[in-house]
Amino acid sequence: MQTLLLWLFYLSSFYAFIPGILTRIFGFRVFRRGSGTNEFALTFDDGPDPLYTPRLLDLLKRYDMKATFFVVGSHAEKHPEVVRRIHREGHLIGIHNYVHKSNWLMRPVTVRKQVKRTDDIIYEITGERSTYYRPPWGIVNLFDFAKNTGCRIILWSSMFSDWRSKIGADRLTERILAKLRGGEVMLLHDCGTTMGANPDAPEQMLIALERVLEVAQQKGMRSIRVDEMMAKESKSKVKKVSLLKRMLVSVWLLWEKGFHALFSLETVTPDDPMLHFRKRAYTGKPVVMEDGTRLDKGDQVLELHFDNRKLYQIGSRSRSEMQLAIQMIRAVQKDLPTLANMVLERPEFKEVRGLYGVSMISRGPEQFGFHVLDLPSGLFASSTRLYLKLLLSVIHPKGQARLKEGSQVMEPKMLMMPVEVLIERYAEKRTPSVKPPTEEPHELAQEQVVDLTIAGATASRM
């Protein structure tokens, strides 16, 4: 039961929950708001519609406003003349899947096919490819987050429930006018055939929009395409990075705290946490380490998790990656003797065969006595790879640049240490076999040990 619960927790968190929080709340890896004072972005989903979209285009043309249309591929396929007109009149065309279906309910390969099919339809009609994508209902999964579609994800900063006709033109006008300001990305709908929408809802939207455009024109404001807004926004992006990163780290640490509570992780040194652990039965395939130690299904192991708050704190005060590496090595060294003594002293750990964890490393932990093994291919390995790359890009001092320094070190690996090795090296008052890199730590250790601690709450359920 616990194994099933953990699997569900991992899958929902990796695939939907974490990407949803980071995109919706913090706008991480998506575009949802611009800046400025006189320009906003009108965006329209679910079309094209043969009745309402041409009327919308007439309205935009009359007020000399530009917009972005995220088209459903099956609709575009049926009404190519409307798509052709959208393109001819200078509006931006984006992708909204081939059918209007949530990405949470589709496999990554299915989402990718939906996007490609819609892009091919747009290309056949207009002669241009689209690189902008809005998933239905704005719902992203982990693979969308990792640029599974190859497109830039566009969300919104304001929506108005205009898919319901009962809202009425008057109330809809008030809602849109309340959000009429620079940098706003407004979500509206030019088609009412989507599940949950009213077929005649776009009629009320058109009435309200005409009133809003009249006010905008009087105020000297104009609607621009999303790509134009993004180009303007990129100039001020650097100023926002540090705040965004702090917010992302806060969300991750909150999630990690919940993970630790849910699975009752213990901390080796609560006053200065670095290593967390729990005892469980190994459930993966038999593993034979280099020293001949064998780990079989059902054997008791201590599952290790590394403290990302500690990593972030050390990284924040480190002046260089070399300094960060030295401090991380010393933090791990400090905890291993305490953990070894706990294994010796506590009766419930008598049957423990070894330590076990997962990390984005290739060689660094070997100096601590760990064996580094390939993670068996499968869904967990793929999800872990994407998840850890995302985490690394947020927490690592070099950010996303760290992801581009070589694919070999960016593969998740299994870390295992026989309990005999742990006790022999670290128990009681024995001097640890690993020498602290006090003066000139090897460059390899510098790069790899930093990544060792990135894994956080991501141990495998192999």
Side-chain angles (χ1 to χ4, degrees):
M1 183 64 184
Q2 188 181 37
T3 298
L4 177 60
L5 179 63
L6 182 59
W7 263 112
L8 292 175
F9 183 85
Y10 273 136
L11 289 175
S12 62
S13 296
F14 288 173
Y15 198 70
F17 180 67
I18 293 177
I21 287 181
L22 295 180
T23 55
R24 290 296 190 90
I25 299 179
F26 301 115
F28 186 66
R29 283 200 176 178
V30 301
F31 180 79
R32 64 191 181 101
R33 183 188 296 274
S35 58
T37 55
N38 298 318
E39 295 172 328
F40 59 99
L42 290 171
T43 68
F44 299 91
D45 287 5
D46 299 358
D49 182 274
L51 174 62
Y52 294 113
T53 306
R55 292 173 57 188
L56 172 59
L57 290 170
D58 291 340
L59 180 61
L60 294 171
K61 187 175 183 179
R62 187 159 68 249
Y63 285 90
D64 192 26
M65 303 286 184
K66 299 301 179 186
T68 302
F69 291 79
F70 292 97
V71 301
V72 174
S74 57
H75 295 173
E77 199 170 37
K78 293 177 182 178
H79 309 291
E81 71 286 351
V82 181
V83 176
R84 196 171 293 113
R85 182 183 170 188
I86 293 173
H87 177 259
R88 185 175 62 249
E89 296 186 0
H91 304 287
L92 182 64
I93 299 177
I95 298 167
H96 202 47
N97 282 357
Y98 181 77
V99 294
H100 200 282
K101 185 176 181 180
S102 170
N103 287 8
W104 284 2
L105 303 178
M106 294 187 288
R107 296 180 302 159
V109 66
T110 304
V111 175
R112 190 162 59 246
K113 288 179 179 179
Q114 290 253 336
V115 171
K116 185 180 185 308
R117 186 175 181 182
T118 304
D119 184 38
D120 288 343
I121 292 170
I122 295 171
Y123 180 74
E124 290 174 3
I125 297 172
T126 67
E128 292 186 7
R129 295 284 182 185
S130 177
T131 57
Y132 301 95
Y133 174 55
R134 175 175 285 166
W137 293 289
I139 295 175
V140 298
N141 61 46
L142 177 65
F143 294 90
D144 301 329
F145 211 41
K147 300 183 179 179
N148 170 59
T149 63
C151 299
R152 180 67 186 272
I153 297 177
I154 309 296
L155 296 184
W156 58 85
S157 56
S158 57
M159 58 187 297
F160 311 100
S161 300
D162 66 308
W163 57 87
R164 299 172 182 166
S165 55
K166 68 178 182 180
I167 188 175
D170 292 341
R171 189 154 43 133
L172 185 56
T173 301
E174 293 176 0
R175 290 186 178 184
I176 301 176
L177 286 176
K179 294 291 186 177
L180 184 60
R181 54 195 175 212
E184 203 74 18
V185 178
M186 299 182 175
L187 168 61
L188 295 166
H189 300 79
D190 58 329
C191 181
T193 61
T194 303
M195 181 180 66
N198 300 130
D200 59 342
E203 185 71 45
Q204 303 301 311
M205 183 275 293
L206 289 172
I207 295 172
L209 183 60
E210 183 168 11
R211 299 170 180 170
V212 170
L213 293 183
E214 182 66 31
V215 173
Q217 193 174 67
Q218 293 172 2
K219 292 184 175 181
M221 301 181 67
R222 65 189 185 101
S223 173
I224 61 175
R225 296 163 33 142
V226 163
D227 58 343
E228 295 174 346
M229 180 172 284
M230 290 173 64
K232 295 176 182 294
E233 180 67 10
S234 63
K235 298 179 180 179
S236 59
K237 184 178 179 180
V238 175
K239 299 178 181 179
K240 301 179 180 180
V241 169
S242 60
L243 175 60
L244 175 61
K245 183 173 181 178
R246 290 197 299 270
M247 295 167 70
L248 290 171
V249 170
S250 297
V251 170
W252 162 246
L253 294 177
L254 180 63
W255 179 88
E256 187 181 55
K257 185 177 180 180
F259 179 94
H260 286 199
L262 180 61
F263 297 106
S264 303
L265 267 63
E266 293 188 58
T267 303
V268 176
T269 53
D271 293 338
D272 188 19
M274 180 61 217
L275 292 177
H276 307 275
F277 69 94
R278 67 177 181 135
K279 188 182 77 168
R280 72 166 180 87
Y282 178 68
T283 57
K285 297 179 180 180
V287 173
V288 179
M289 287 171 269
E290 294 177 3
D291 65 347
T293 301
R294 181 183 176 93
L295 190 65
D296 292 307
K297 184 176 181 180
D299 287 344
Q300 295 295 307
V301 295
L302 292 185
E303 181 182 87
L304 292 181
H305 299 263
F306 299 90
D307 194 279
N308 286 319
R309 180 181 295 277
K310 179 80 169 183
L311 170 67
Y312 185 67
Q313 290 173 346
I314 292 177
S316 299
R317 61 175 181 258
S318 296
R319 290 173 293 180
S320 67
E321 199 164 337
M322 177 71 77
Q323 189 179 67
L324 172 61
I326 294 172
Q327 293 187 60
M328 295 311 301
I329 291 172
R330 289 173 174 168
V332 173
Q333 276 189 303
K334 178 178 63 67
D335 270 11
L336 287 176
T338 304
L339 181 59
N341 291 331
M342 293 172 72
V343 172
L344 280 176
E345 296 167 2
R346 291 172 54 170
E348 67 267 32
F349 294 155
K350 183 178 180 180
E351 302 299 324
V352 168
R353 297 292 307 280
L355 307 182
Y356 170 78
V358 175
S359 183
M360 296 284 278
I361 56 87
S362 61
R363 290 176 296 273
E366 291 173 338
Q367 61 182 302
F368 294 106
F370 285 99
H371 295 271
V372 181
L373 304 168
D374 290 333
L375 193 65
S377 60
L379 177 61
F380 178 80
S382 300
S383 301
T384 300
R385 184 179 299 107
L386 290 171
Y387 171 74
L388 291 180
K389 285 187 177 182
L390 167 65
L391 180 60
L392 187 65
S393 69
V394 173
I395 294 182
H396 197 279
K398 297 173 72 172
Q400 293 190 16
R402 180 66 182 89
L403 300 177
K404 302 176 182 178
E405 294 180 359
S407 59
Q408 183 179 3
V409 298
M410 296 309 302
E411 290 297 316
K413 302 282 186 175
M414 291 192 297
L415 307 182
M416 291 187 173
M417 180 191 296
V419 71
E420 292 82 3
V421 174
L422 174 70
I423 293 173
E424 180 183 352
R425 286 194 174 206
Y426 300 104
E428 299 296 336
K429 298 181 180 180
R430 300 175 190 266
T431 301
S433 299
V434 183
K435 296 180 180 180
T438 55
E439 297 181 356
E440 296 183 6
H442 193 279
E443 182 178 352
L444 176 62
Q446 171 194 347
E447 293 294 334
Q448 303 300 344
V449 173
V450 171
D451 289 348
L452 165 67
T453 58
I454 293 288
T458 58
S460 171
R461 293 299 301 171
M462 301 302 300

